[in-house]
Amino acid sequence: MANNNTGSNKILVPEARQALDQMKLEIASELGLSNYNSIDKGNLPSRQNGYVGGYMTKRLVQMAQQSMGGGTTTR
């Protein structure tokens, strides 16, 4: 499944958008970024925005590994 749209953040499974948005807000809150949905992301340091995306990726990989392995792990 190749994605030739480099630089695109297109969601491949549109039904997952709400869950991904909720995950983003939860992670931002855990990182101390309250009201992340209403914050102008352009005014945040790239490090903070990167943390949110990085932790989302880490959590999604963890969820995929658990699904594939059938096991549970701790955060």
Side-chain angles (χ1 to χ4, degrees):
M1 180 164 79
N3 183 359
N4 294 328
N5 296 330
T6 57
S8 172
N9 289 329
K10 181 178 178 185
I11 294 180
L12 298 176
V13 181
E15 297 81 10
R17 179 180 301 278
Q18 186 175 359
L20 290 170
D21 287 341
Q22 182 63 35
M23 178 186 289
K24 183 189 310 180
L25 295 177
E26 289 173 8
I27 290 172
S29 178
E30 290 171 13
L31 295 172
L33 299 170
S34 59
N35 300 322
Y36 188 76
N37 216 19
S38 61
I39 295 174
D40 179 7
K41 311 306 182 288
N43 288 330
L44 285 177
S46 58
R47 181 178 297 258
Q48 287 182 315
N49 281 320
Y51 280 151
V52 174
Y55 278 96
M56 279 185 71
T57 301
K58 183 177 180 179
R59 193 166 297 170
L60 289 167
V61 167
Q62 180 184 31
M63 291 167 64
Q65 288 175 341
Q66 287 174 351
S67 174
M68 291 167 38
T72 60
T73 61
T74 58
R75 289 186 199 182

